[in-house]
Amino acid sequence: MSSEQPLNSRFAEDLQMKQVAGPATYNRNTDGPVAYLEVADRAGTVIGYVWANDKDGAAGWVVPQGLSPQAVNAGGRWVRALRGGRARELAPTALLTELAQGGNDNEHSHVVPGSRTEAPSLAALKELAAGG
């Protein structure tokens, strides 16, 4: 007889990942136009774009390609601002207005003054961030 214990069948089953709770978030996609702000680091390099669309209740953060790890990490503050705005039940563009007024600026990153503008679509903003 073998001294091995039989494997419990529950350990052999595939796990089904299912999120059951988490922070409220804005929708991450929209087919409509998006208002956006440029966010720069203290050297003036654009490290991302905060965007919003009220019609779809959508908002998010787009990161340009080729950034240093430090610059990418600085974007975490802006992602948290998005979560905080959603938790306070702000409309996406209302949060953008708050951020444009310096509501999330710090010594590492800030909204570029006068950068609020609109892109015809989220895809167009992503293309801009990709350098195209």
Side-chain angles (χ1 to χ4, degrees):
M1 246 176 118
S2 172
S3 63
E4 277 186 46
Q5 295 277 329
L7 182 63
N8 187 320
S9 63
R10 70 178 174 184
F11 295 124
E13 295 176 17
D14 285 337
L15 292 176
Q16 301 297 316
M17 302 305 279
K18 180 178 165 186
Q19 183 173 342
V20 293
T25 59
Y26 293 111
N27 291 328
R28 293 189 177 128
N29 291 303
T30 181
D31 292 327
V34 296
Y36 70 90
L37 300 169
E38 290 181 351
V39 176
D41 64 12
R42 64 179 137 200
T45 303
V46 174
I47 62 167
Y49 303 88
V50 181
W51 61 269
N53 173 293
D54 283 344
K55 182 180 174 207
D56 295 324
W61 173 252
V62 175
V63 179
Q65 295 178 352
L67 293 178
S68 69
Q70 249 183 335
V72 172
N73 288 341
R77 178 177 185 84
W78 300 91
V79 172
R80 287 188 299 278
L82 287 163
R83 288 187 186 142
R86 179 65 178 98
R88 292 184 291 141
E89 299 181 0
L90 287 177
T93 57
L95 175 62
L96 218 58
T97 297
E98 186 178 284
L99 296 175
Q101 295 169 351
N104 200 47
D105 292 358
N106 69 9
E107 68 274 5
H108 300 292
S109 61
H110 63 277
V111 169
V112 175
S115 69
R116 185 169 179 158
T117 191
E118 194 168 291
S121 67
L122 180 56
L125 178 58
K126 288 180 178 180
E127 187 175 320
L128 172 70

